[in-house]
Amino acid sequence: VQLQASGGGLVQAGGSLRLSCAASGRTFSSHIMGWFRQAPGKEREFVAAIRWGTGRTYYADSVKGRFAISRDNAKNTVYLQMNSLKPEDTAVYYCARALSYSDNPSSYNYWGQGTLVTVSS
């Protein structure tokens, strides 16, 4: 399985960005696709996740109501729509795959390369 994240960039506070994560290889309905982020000097933290089959979503409290995760099964792609961005959202964003839901990065066994999101104040 290979994951390719894209869509990062520079945006002003209050703006929006949409990240994409294209997955190659076989996926199963029970698999979880997650987004994590890591700011300089900080640990990697959970942002959101979605189950391929049911579309059930999970969010960190810090992004609820602002971010939305979705998937396109036909394209094997997961999206993270980020609205009302804040400077504290600045980080490298990673997509990852797990066999079951977790907000712990150690539960995810495949990772994309990361895409940088910078939110200016």
Side-chain angles (χ1 to χ4, degrees):
V1 174
Q2 289 188 323
L3 304 177
Q4 182 73 34
S6 61
L10 173 64
V11 63
Q12 288 189 331
S16 298
L17 278 177
R18 189 177 81 156
L19 306 182
S20 299
C21 177
S24 63
R26 197 170 180 183
T27 57
F28 295 91
S29 60
S30 61
H31 287 171
I32 293 287
M33 291 298 296
W35 285 98
F36 290 78
R37 65 187 181 186
Q38 189 165 19
K42 294 188 176 182
E43 293 187 351
R44 193 166 296 190
E45 66 172 358
F46 172 76
V47 175
I50 188 167
R51 192 177 299 278
W52 271 117
T54 63
R56 181 177 178 179
T57 57
Y58 309 83
Y59 294 97
D61 287 343
S62 59
V63 305
K64 277 181 184 176
R66 299 189 299 123
F67 291 12
I69 189 170
S70 62
R71 91 277 193 231
D72 185 330
N73 288 21
K75 295 182 178 180
N76 253 18
T77 299
V78 173
Y79 304 98
L80 185 68
Q81 179 66 43
M82 305 185 295
N83 300 324
S84 302
L85 283 161
K86 306 174 181 180
E88 50 264 44
D89 294 318
T90 295
V92 176
Y93 283 71
Y94 299 88
C95 60
R97 196 201 77 176
L99 298 180
S100 59
Y101 171 67
S102 173
D103 61 3
N104 189 328
S106 64
S107 296
Y108 290 73
N109 51 358
Y110 291 99
W111 290 83
Q113 83 287 7
T115 184
L116 177 62
V117 173
T118 304
V119 184
S120 62
S121 56

PDB file of all heavy atoms in Angstrom, residues 7-46:
ATOM      1  N   GLY A   7      -1.997  18.759  -1.523  1.00  0.00           N
ATOM      2  CA  GLY A   7      -2.971  19.811  -1.275  1.00  0.00           C
ATOM      3  C   GLY A   7      -2.565  20.849  -0.256  1.00  0.00           C
ATOM      4  O   GLY A   7      -3.297  21.821  -0.040  1.00  0.00           O
ATOM      5  N   GLY A   8      -1.423  20.673   0.380  1.00  0.00           N
ATOM      6  CA  GLY A   8      -0.986  21.656   1.357  1.00  0.00           C
ATOM      7  C   GLY A   8      -0.584  22.961   0.698  1.00  0.00           C
ATOM      8  O   GLY A   8      -0.490  23.062  -0.521  1.00  0.00           O
ATOM      9  N   GLY A   9      -0.374  23.976   1.518  1.00  0.00           N
ATOM     10  CA  GLY A   9       0.026  25.270   0.992  1.00  0.00           C
ATOM     11  C   GLY A   9      -0.054  26.336   2.056  1.00  0.00           C
ATOM     12  O   GLY A   9      -0.227  26.038   3.249  1.00  0.00           O
ATOM     13  N   LEU A  10       0.056  27.569   1.613  1.00  0.00           N
ATOM     14  CA  LEU A  10      -0.006  28.731   2.492  1.00  0.00           C
ATOM     15  C   LEU A  10      -1.372  29.381   2.360  1.00  0.00           C
ATOM     16  O   LEU A  10      -1.842  29.646   1.246  1.00  0.00           O
ATOM     17  CB  LEU A  10       1.093  29.729   2.112  1.00  0.00           C
ATOM     18  CG  LEU A  10       1.089  31.080   2.824  1.00  0.00           C
ATOM     19  CD1 LEU A  10       1.337  30.892   4.313  1.00  0.00           C
ATOM     20  CD2 LEU A  10       2.138  32.003   2.201  1.00  0.00           C
ATOM     21  N   VAL A  11      -2.004  29.631   3.500  1.00  0.00           N
ATOM     22  CA  VAL A  11      -3.331  30.230   3.494  1.00  0.00           C
ATOM     23  C   VAL A  11      -3.436  31.194   4.669  1.00  0.00           C
ATOM     24  O   VAL A  11      -2.779  30.994   5.698  1.00  0.00           O
ATOM     25  CB  VAL A  11      -4.427  29.138   3.561  1.00  0.00           C
ATOM     26  CG1 VAL A  11      -4.339  28.356   4.862  1.00  0.00           C
ATOM     27  CG2 VAL A  11      -5.806  29.712   3.352  1.00  0.00           C
ATOM     28  N   GLN A  12      -4.246  32.211   4.515  1.00  0.00           N
ATOM     29  CA  GLN A  12      -4.457  33.149   5.616  1.00  0.00           C
ATOM     30  C   GLN A  12      -5.438  32.576   6.633  1.00  0.00           C
ATOM     31  O   GLN A  12      -6.276  31.732   6.297  1.00  0.00           O
ATOM     32  CB  GLN A  12      -4.993  34.471   5.073  1.00  0.00           C
ATOM     33  CG  GLN A  12      -3.967  35.293   4.317  1.00  0.00           C
ATOM     34  CD  GLN A  12      -4.473  36.687   3.993  1.00  0.00           C
ATOM     35  OE1 GLN A  12      -5.672  36.899   3.835  1.00  0.00           O
ATOM     36  NE2 GLN A  12      -3.554  37.643   3.900  1.00  0.00           N
ATOM     37  N   ALA A  13      -5.330  33.040   7.851  1.00  0.00           N
ATOM     38  CA  ALA A  13      -6.264  32.624   8.883  1.00  0.00           C
ATOM     39  C   ALA A  13      -7.698  32.885   8.427  1.00  0.00           C
ATOM     40  O   ALA A  13      -7.992  33.928   7.838  1.00  0.00           O
ATOM     41  CB  ALA A  13      -5.978  33.370  10.180  1.00  0.00           C
ATOM     42  N   GLY A  14      -8.554  31.915   8.691  1.00  0.00           N
ATOM     43  CA  GLY A  14      -9.935  32.002   8.247  1.00  0.00           C
ATOM     44  C   GLY A  14     -10.176  31.368   6.887  1.00  0.00           C
ATOM     45  O   GLY A  14     -11.335  31.183   6.487  1.00  0.00           O
ATOM     46  N   GLY A  15      -9.108  31.035   6.205  1.00  0.00           N
ATOM     47  CA  GLY A  15      -9.226  30.445   4.876  1.00  0.00           C
ATOM     48  C   GLY A  15      -9.450  28.944   4.919  1.00  0.00           C
ATOM     49  O   GLY A  15      -9.624  28.346   5.989  1.00  0.00           O
ATOM     50  N   SER A  16      -9.431  28.347   3.726  1.00  0.00           N
ATOM     51  CA  SER A  16      -9.719  26.916   3.587  1.00  0.00           C
ATOM     52  C   SER A  16      -8.679  26.245   2.698  1.00  0.00           C
ATOM     53  O   SER A  16      -8.082  26.877   1.821  1.00  0.00           O
ATOM     54  CB  SER A  16     -11.103  26.710   2.957  1.00  0.00           C
ATOM     55  OG  SER A  16     -12.118  27.248   3.770  1.00  0.00           O
ATOM     56  N   LEU A  17      -8.503  24.968   2.925  1.00  0.00           N
ATOM     57  CA  LEU A  17      -7.680  24.110   2.075  1.00  0.00           C
ATOM     58  C   LEU A  17      -8.311  22.732   2.055  1.00  0.00           C
ATOM     59  O   LEU A  17      -8.989  22.339   3.023  1.00  0.00           O
ATOM     60  CB  LEU A  17      -6.255  23.980   2.626  1.00  0.00           C
ATOM     61  CG  LEU A  17      -5.231  25.070   2.331  1.00  0.00           C
ATOM     62  CD1 LEU A  17      -3.923  24.759   3.052  1.00  0.00           C
ATOM     63  CD2 LEU A  17      -4.993  25.238   0.846  1.00  0.00           C
ATOM     64  N   ARG A  18      -8.076  21.999   0.972  1.00  0.00           N
ATOM     65  CA  ARG A  18      -8.508  20.609   0.919  1.00  0.00           C
ATOM     66  C   ARG A  18      -7.306  19.727   0.637  1.00  0.00           C
ATOM     67  O   ARG A  18      -6.628  19.901  -0.384  1.00  0.00           O
ATOM     68  CB  ARG A  18      -9.579  20.384  -0.144  1.00  0.00           C
ATOM     69  CG  ARG A  18     -10.180  18.982  -0.045  1.00  0.00           C
ATOM     70  CD  ARG A  18     -11.283  18.741  -1.038  1.00  0.00           C
ATOM     71  NE  ARG A  18     -10.771  18.412  -2.369  1.00  0.00           N
ATOM     72  CZ  ARG A  18     -11.452  17.737  -3.283  1.00  0.00           C
ATOM     73  NH1 ARG A  18     -12.669  17.296  -3.005  1.00  0.00           N
ATOM     74  NH2 ARG A  18     -10.931  17.503  -4.469  1.00  0.00           N
ATOM     75  N   LEU A  19      -7.062  18.811   1.532  1.00  0.00           N
ATOM     76  CA  LEU A  19      -5.990  17.842   1.353  1.00  0.00           C
ATOM     77  C   LEU A  19      -6.550  16.569   0.735  1.00  0.00           C
ATOM     78  O   LEU A  19      -7.703  16.207   0.981  1.00  0.00           O
ATOM     79  CB  LEU A  19      -5.331  17.510   2.687  1.00  0.00           C
ATOM     80  CG  LEU A  19      -4.805  18.686   3.509  1.00  0.00           C
ATOM     81  CD1 LEU A  19      -4.127  18.171   4.780  1.00  0.00           C
ATOM     82  CD2 LEU A  19      -3.889  19.562   2.707  1.00  0.00           C
ATOM     83  N   SER A  20      -5.723  15.914  -0.054  1.00  0.00           N
ATOM     84  CA  SER A  20      -6.092  14.648  -0.666  1.00  0.00           C
ATOM     85  C   SER A  20      -5.069  13.585  -0.307  1.00  0.00           C
ATOM     86  O   SER A  20      -3.883  13.886  -0.134  1.00  0.00           O
ATOM     87  CB  SER A  20      -6.150  14.779  -2.191  1.00  0.00           C
ATOM     88  OG  SER A  20      -7.104  15.732  -2.583  1.00  0.00           O
ATOM     89  N   CYS A  21      -5.540  12.360  -0.220  1.00  0.00           N
ATOM     90  CA  CYS A  21      -4.655  11.225   0.039  1.00  0.00           C
ATOM     91  C   CYS A  21      -5.086  10.093  -0.887  1.00  0.00           C
ATOM     92  O   CYS A  21      -6.144   9.493  -0.680  1.00  0.00           O
ATOM     93  CB  CYS A  21      -4.729  10.792   1.492  1.00  0.00           C
ATOM     94  SG  CYS A  21      -3.717   9.344   1.863  1.00  0.00           S
ATOM     95  N   ALA A  22      -4.264   9.844  -1.894  1.00  0.00           N
ATOM     96  CA  ALA A  22      -4.552   8.784  -2.851  1.00  0.00           C
ATOM     97  C   ALA A  22      -3.875   7.503  -2.390  1.00  0.00           C
ATOM     98  O   ALA A  22      -2.674   7.487  -2.114  1.00  0.00           O
ATOM     99  CB  ALA A  22      -4.052   9.184  -4.235  1.00  0.00           C
ATOM    100  N   ALA A  23      -4.652   6.436  -2.316  1.00  0.00           N
ATOM    101  CA  ALA A  23      -4.133   5.147  -1.850  1.00  0.00           C
ATOM    102  C   ALA A  23      -4.028   4.179  -3.016  1.00  0.00           C
ATOM    103  O   ALA A  23      -4.976   4.039  -3.794  1.00  0.00           O
ATOM    104  CB  ALA A  23      -5.043   4.581  -0.769  1.00  0.00           C
ATOM    105  N   SER A  24      -2.884   3.549  -3.129  1.00  0.00           N
ATOM    106  CA  SER A  24      -2.723   2.486  -4.115  1.00  0.00           C
ATOM    107  C   SER A  24      -2.664   1.159  -3.378  1.00  0.00           C
ATOM    108  O   SER A  24      -2.307   1.103  -2.213  1.00  0.00           O
ATOM    109  CB  SER A  24      -1.442   2.703  -4.919  1.00  0.00           C
ATOM    110  OG  SER A  24      -0.312   2.624  -4.074  1.00  0.00           O
ATOM    111  N   GLY A  25      -3.018   0.092  -4.051  1.00  0.00           N
ATOM    112  CA  GLY A  25      -3.067  -1.192  -3.384  1.00  0.00           C
ATOM    113  C   GLY A  25      -4.464  -1.489  -2.876  1.00  0.00           C
ATOM    114  O   GLY A  25      -5.347  -0.647  -2.921  1.00  0.00           O
ATOM    115  N   ARG A  26      -4.615  -2.679  -2.369  1.00  0.00           N
ATOM    116  CA  ARG A  26      -5.944  -3.140  -1.987  1.00  0.00           C
ATOM    117  C   ARG A  26      -6.382  -2.536  -0.656  1.00  0.00           C
ATOM    118  O   ARG A  26      -5.587  -2.425   0.277  1.00  0.00           O
ATOM    119  CB  ARG A  26      -5.943  -4.658  -1.879  1.00  0.00           C
ATOM    120  CG  ARG A  26      -7.309  -5.271  -1.882  1.00  0.00           C
ATOM    121  CD  ARG A  26      -7.218  -6.782  -2.025  1.00  0.00           C
ATOM    122  NE  ARG A  26      -8.544  -7.377  -2.037  1.00  0.00           N
ATOM    123  CZ  ARG A  26      -8.763  -8.683  -2.095  1.00  0.00           C
ATOM    124  NH1 ARG A  26      -7.745  -9.522  -2.135  1.00  0.00           N
ATOM    125  NH2 ARG A  26      -9.990  -9.161  -2.094  1.00  0.00           N
ATOM    126  N   THR A  27      -7.641  -2.127  -0.603  1.00  0.00           N
ATOM    127  CA  THR A  27      -8.219  -1.628   0.639  1.00  0.00           C
ATOM    128  C   THR A  27      -9.456  -2.448   0.960  1.00  0.00           C
ATOM    129  O   THR A  27     -10.088  -3.002   0.064  1.00  0.00           O
ATOM    130  CB  THR A  27      -8.597  -0.140   0.532  1.00  0.00           C
ATOM    131  OG1 THR A  27      -9.494   0.024  -0.559  1.00  0.00           O
ATOM    132  CG2 THR A  27      -7.378   0.722   0.308  1.00  0.00           C
ATOM    133  N   PHE A  28      -9.780  -2.523   2.210  1.00  0.00           N
ATOM    134  CA  PHE A  28     -10.933  -3.271   2.675  1.00  0.00           C
ATOM    135  C   PHE A  28     -11.875  -2.341   3.417  1.00  0.00           C
ATOM    136  O   PHE A  28     -11.461  -1.335   3.968  1.00  0.00           O
ATOM    137  CB  PHE A  28     -10.485  -4.414   3.583  1.00  0.00           C
ATOM    138  CG  PHE A  28      -9.668  -5.447   2.872  1.00  0.00           C
ATOM    139  CD1 PHE A  28      -8.285  -5.344   2.824  1.00  0.00           C
ATOM    140  CD2 PHE A  28     -10.277  -6.517   2.236  1.00  0.00           C
ATOM    141  CE1 PHE A  28      -7.521  -6.286   2.162  1.00  0.00           C
ATOM    142  CE2 PHE A  28      -9.512  -7.472   1.573  1.00  0.00           C
ATOM    143  CZ  PHE A  28      -8.139  -7.360   1.535  1.00  0.00           C
ATOM    144  N   SER A  29     -13.137  -2.711   3.424  1.00  0.00           N
ATOM    145  CA  SER A  29     -14.149  -1.829   4.002  1.00  0.00           C
ATOM    146  C   SER A  29     -13.896  -1.554   5.475  1.00  0.00           C
ATOM    147  O   SER A  29     -14.307  -0.528   5.998  1.00  0.00           O
ATOM    148  CB  SER A  29     -15.541  -2.421   3.804  1.00  0.00           C
ATOM    149  OG  SER A  29     -15.633  -3.683   4.442  1.00  0.00           O
ATOM    150  N   SER A  30     -13.239  -2.460   6.155  1.00  0.00           N
ATOM    151  CA  SER A  30     -12.991  -2.274   7.592  1.00  0.00           C
ATOM    152  C   SER A  30     -11.798  -1.372   7.874  1.00  0.00           C
ATOM    153  O   SER A  30     -11.609  -0.918   8.998  1.00  0.00           O
ATOM    154  CB  SER A  30     -12.762  -3.622   8.262  1.00  0.00           C
ATOM    155  OG  SER A  30     -11.635  -4.259   7.693  1.00  0.00           O
ATOM    156  N   HIS A  31     -11.011  -1.077   6.855  1.00  0.00           N
ATOM    157  CA  HIS A  31      -9.819  -0.259   7.071  1.00  0.00           C
ATOM    158  C   HIS A  31     -10.190   1.169   7.434  1.00  0.00           C
ATOM    159  O   HIS A  31     -11.233   1.696   7.023  1.00  0.00           O
ATOM    160  CB  HIS A  31      -8.941  -0.246   5.827  1.00  0.00           C
ATOM    161  CG  HIS A  31      -8.213  -1.538   5.609  1.00  0.00           C
ATOM    162  ND1 HIS A  31      -7.509  -1.798   4.451  1.00  0.00           N
ATOM    163  CD2 HIS A  31      -8.079  -2.636   6.382  1.00  0.00           C
ATOM    164  CE1 HIS A  31      -6.974  -3.005   4.531  1.00  0.00           C
ATOM    165  NE2 HIS A  31      -7.317  -3.540   5.692  1.00  0.00           N
ATOM    166  N   ILE A  32      -9.286   1.765   8.197  1.00  0.00           N
ATOM    167  CA  ILE A  32      -9.439   3.148   8.626  1.00  0.00           C
ATOM    168  C   ILE A  32      -8.381   3.994   7.932  1.00  0.00           C
ATOM    169  O   ILE A  32      -7.200   3.614   7.892  1.00  0.00           O
ATOM    170  CB  ILE A  32      -9.235   3.271  10.148  1.00  0.00           C
ATOM    171  CG1 ILE A  32     -10.357   2.573  10.903  1.00  0.00           C
ATOM    172  CG2 ILE A  32      -9.106   4.715  10.578  1.00  0.00           C
ATOM    173  CD1 ILE A  32     -11.689   3.305  10.860  1.00  0.00           C
ATOM    174  N   MET A  33      -8.791   5.126   7.408  1.00  0.00           N
ATOM    175  CA  MET A  33      -7.843   6.117   6.881  1.00  0.00           C
ATOM    176  C   MET A  33      -7.866   7.316   7.822  1.00  0.00           C
ATOM    177  O   MET A  33      -8.934   7.828   8.150  1.00  0.00           O
ATOM    178  CB  MET A  33      -8.236   6.547   5.482  1.00  0.00           C
ATOM    179  CG  MET A  33      -8.062   5.450   4.457  1.00  0.00           C
ATOM    180  SD  MET A  33      -6.360   4.909   4.275  1.00  0.00           S
ATOM    181  CE  MET A  33      -5.597   6.403   3.649  1.00  0.00           C
ATOM    182  N   GLY A  34      -6.692   7.725   8.236  1.00  0.00           N
ATOM    183  CA  GLY A  34      -6.607   8.820   9.187  1.00  0.00           C
ATOM    184  C   GLY A  34      -5.717   9.945   8.690  1.00  0.00           C
ATOM    185  O   GLY A  34      -4.872   9.754   7.811  1.00  0.00           O
ATOM    186  N   TRP A  35      -5.963  11.115   9.247  1.00  0.00           N
ATOM    187  CA  TRP A  35      -5.089  12.267   9.047  1.00  0.00           C
ATOM    188  C   TRP A  35      -4.482  12.630  10.403  1.00  0.00           C
ATOM    189  O   TRP A  35      -5.199  12.708  11.410  1.00  0.00           O
ATOM    190  CB  TRP A  35      -5.858  13.466   8.504  1.00  0.00           C
ATOM    191  CG  TRP A  35      -6.217  13.365   7.060  1.00  0.00           C
ATOM    192  CD1 TRP A  35      -7.414  12.965   6.539  1.00  0.00           C
ATOM    193  CD2 TRP A  35      -5.387  13.678   5.947  1.00  0.00           C
ATOM    194  NE1 TRP A  35      -7.368  13.007   5.170  1.00  0.00           N
ATOM    195  CE2 TRP A  35      -6.134  13.436   4.774  1.00  0.00           C
ATOM    196  CE3 TRP A  35      -4.073  14.134   5.805  1.00  0.00           C
ATOM    197  CZ2 TRP A  35      -5.626  13.644   3.486  1.00  0.00           C
ATOM    198  CZ3 TRP A  35      -3.554  14.339   4.536  1.00  0.00           C
ATOM    199  CH2 TRP A  35      -4.330  14.095   3.397  1.00  0.00           C
ATOM    200  N   PHE A  36      -3.193  12.859  10.373  1.00  0.00           N
ATOM    201  CA  PHE A  36      -2.465  13.315  11.543  1.00  0.00           C
ATOM    202  C   PHE A  36      -1.709  14.577  11.153  1.00  0.00           C
ATOM    203  O   PHE A  36      -1.535  14.864   9.975  1.00  0.00           O
ATOM    204  CB  PHE A  36      -1.467  12.254  12.018  1.00  0.00           C
ATOM    205  CG  PHE A  36      -2.116  11.046  12.627  1.00  0.00           C
ATOM    206  CD1 PHE A  36      -2.680  10.067  11.834  1.00  0.00           C
ATOM    207  CD2 PHE A  36      -2.163  10.884  14.002  1.00  0.00           C
ATOM    208  CE1 PHE A  36      -3.290   8.950  12.391  1.00  0.00           C
ATOM    209  CE2 PHE A  36      -2.762   9.783  14.581  1.00  0.00           C
ATOM    210  CZ  PHE A  36      -3.327   8.811  13.772  1.00  0.00           C
ATOM    211  N   ARG A  37      -1.240  15.295  12.143  1.00  0.00           N
ATOM    212  CA  ARG A  37      -0.409  16.464  11.856  1.00  0.00           C
ATOM    213  C   ARG A  37       0.695  16.573  12.893  1.00  0.00           C
ATOM    214  O   ARG A  37       0.554  16.097  14.027  1.00  0.00           O
ATOM    215  CB  ARG A  37      -1.247  17.741  11.829  1.00  0.00           C
ATOM    216  CG  ARG A  37      -1.873  18.120  13.158  1.00  0.00           C
ATOM    217  CD  ARG A  37      -2.813  19.305  12.973  1.00  0.00           C
ATOM    218  NE  ARG A  37      -3.428  19.726  14.227  1.00  0.00           N
ATOM    219  CZ  ARG A  37      -4.374  20.651  14.312  1.00  0.00           C
ATOM    220  NH1 ARG A  37      -4.836  21.251  13.202  1.00  0.00           N
ATOM    221  NH2 ARG A  37      -4.874  20.988  15.494  1.00  0.00           N
ATOM    222  N   GLN A  38       1.767  17.205  12.465  1.00  0.00           N
ATOM    223  CA  GLN A  38       2.898  17.392  13.357  1.00  0.00           C
ATOM    224  C   GLN A  38       3.474  18.781  13.148  1.00  0.00           C
ATOM    225  O   GLN A  38       3.948  19.101  12.056  1.00  0.00           O
ATOM    226  CB  GLN A  38       3.968  16.331  13.126  1.00  0.00           C
ATOM    227  CG  GLN A  38       5.073  16.343  14.148  1.00  0.00           C
ATOM    228  CD  GLN A  38       5.909  15.081  14.114  1.00  0.00           C
ATOM    229  OE1 GLN A  38       5.910  14.330  13.137  1.00  0.00           O
ATOM    230  NE2 GLN A  38       6.634  14.808  15.197  1.00  0.00           N
ATOM    231  N   ALA A  39       3.398  19.590  14.188  1.00  0.00           N
ATOM    232  CA  ALA A  39       3.969  20.927  14.164  1.00  0.00           C
ATOM    233  C   ALA A  39       5.415  20.853  14.659  1.00  0.00           C
ATOM    234  O   ALA A  39       5.784  19.920  15.374  1.00  0.00           O
ATOM    235  CB  ALA A  39       3.153  21.865  15.037  1.00  0.00           C
ATOM    236  N   PRO A  40       6.239  21.829  14.289  1.00  0.00           N
ATOM    237  CA  PRO A  40       7.642  21.816  14.730  1.00  0.00           C
ATOM    238  C   PRO A  40       7.755  21.725  16.248  1.00  0.00           C
ATOM    239  O   PRO A  40       7.107  22.473  16.974  1.00  0.00           O
ATOM    240  CB  PRO A  40       8.167  23.162  14.215  1.00  0.00           C
ATOM    241  CG  PRO A  40       7.310  23.477  13.050  1.00  0.00           C
ATOM    242  CD  PRO A  40       5.948  22.951  13.405  1.00  0.00           C
ATOM    243  N   GLY A  41       8.561  20.777  16.711  1.00  0.00           N
ATOM    244  CA  GLY A  41       8.790  20.626  18.133  1.00  0.00           C
ATOM    245  C   GLY A  41       7.677  19.936  18.897  1.00  0.00           C
ATOM    246  O   GLY A  41       7.740  19.840  20.129  1.00  0.00           O
ATOM    247  N   LYS A  42       6.669  19.478  18.174  1.00  0.00           N
ATOM    248  CA  LYS A  42       5.544  18.820  18.842  1.00  0.00           C
ATOM    249  C   LYS A  42       5.391  17.386  18.358  1.00  0.00           C
ATOM    250  O   LYS A  42       5.908  17.009  17.312  1.00  0.00           O
ATOM    251  CB  LYS A  42       4.248  19.596  18.593  1.00  0.00           C
ATOM    252  CG  LYS A  42       4.237  20.981  19.220  1.00  0.00           C
ATOM    253  CD  LYS A  42       2.869  21.614  19.116  1.00  0.00           C
ATOM    254  CE  LYS A  42       2.826  22.955  19.822  1.00  0.00           C
ATOM    255  NZ  LYS A  42       1.464  23.566  19.761  1.00  0.00           N
ATOM    256  N   GLU A  43       4.648  16.613  19.118  1.00  0.00           N
ATOM    257  CA  GLU A  43       4.388  15.232  18.729  1.00  0.00           C
ATOM    258  C   GLU A  43       3.313  15.184  17.649  1.00  0.00           C
ATOM    259  O   GLU A  43       2.499  16.108  17.512  1.00  0.00           O
ATOM    260  CB  GLU A  43       3.952  14.418  19.955  1.00  0.00           C
ATOM    261  CG  GLU A  43       5.053  14.242  20.991  1.00  0.00           C
ATOM    262  CD  GLU A  43       4.638  13.301  22.106  1.00  0.00           C
ATOM    263  OE1 GLU A  43       3.457  12.927  22.163  1.00  0.00           O
ATOM    264  OE2 GLU A  43       5.515  12.950  22.918  1.00  0.00           O
ATOM    265  N   ARG A  44       3.336  14.094  16.923  1.00  0.00           N
ATOM    266  CA  ARG A  44       2.306  13.894  15.908  1.00  0.00           C
ATOM    267  C   ARG A  44       0.962  13.690  16.603  1.00  0.00           C
ATOM    268  O   ARG A  44       0.862  12.918  17.561  1.00  0.00           O
ATOM    269  CB  ARG A  44       2.663  12.677  15.057  1.00  0.00           C
ATOM    270  CG  ARG A  44       1.860  12.543  13.795  1.00  0.00           C
ATOM    271  CD  ARG A  44       2.494  11.536  12.852  1.00  0.00           C
ATOM    272  NE  ARG A  44       3.816  11.974  12.405  1.00  0.00           N
ATOM    273  CZ  ARG A  44       4.499  11.375  11.441  1.00  0.00           C
ATOM    274  NH1 ARG A  44       3.982  10.318  10.813  1.00  0.00           N
ATOM    275  NH2 ARG A  44       5.702  11.801  11.099  1.00  0.00           N
ATOM    276  N   GLU A  45      -0.070  14.373  16.108  1.00  0.00           N
ATOM    277  CA  GLU A  45      -1.378  14.283  16.757  1.00  0.00           C
ATOM    278  C   GLU A  45      -2.462  13.914  15.757  1.00  0.00           C
ATOM    279  O   GLU A  45      -2.408  14.254  14.582  1.00  0.00           O
ATOM    280  CB  GLU A  45      -1.739  15.603  17.448  1.00  0.00           C
ATOM    281  CG  GLU A  45      -1.956  16.775  16.528  1.00  0.00           C
ATOM    282  CD  GLU A  45      -2.492  18.003  17.246  1.00  0.00           C
ATOM    283  OE1 GLU A  45      -2.735  17.944  18.467  1.00  0.00           O
ATOM    284  OE2 GLU A  45      -2.689  19.040  16.578  1.00  0.00           O
ATOM    285  N   PHE A  46      -3.456  13.246  16.282  1.00  0.00           N
ATOM    286  CA  PHE A  46      -4.605  12.802  15.495  1.00  0.00           C
ATOM    287  C   PHE A  46      -5.452  13.999  15.094  1.00  0.00           C
ATOM    288  O   PHE A  46      -5.684  14.910  15.891  1.00  0.00           O
ATOM    289  CB  PHE A  46      -5.427  11.818  16.318  1.00  0.00           C
ATOM    290  CG  PHE A  46      -6.731  11.434  15.704  1.00  0.00           C
ATOM    291  CD1 PHE A  46      -6.786  10.541  14.650  1.00  0.00           C
ATOM    292  CD2 PHE A  46      -7.921  11.966  16.192  1.00  0.00           C
ATOM    293  CE1 PHE A  46      -7.995  10.181  14.094  1.00  0.00           C
ATOM    294  CE2 PHE A  46      -9.137  11.615  15.640  1.00  0.00           C
ATOM    295  CZ  PHE A  46      -9.168  10.714  14.582  1.00  0.00           C
TER     296      PHE A  46
END
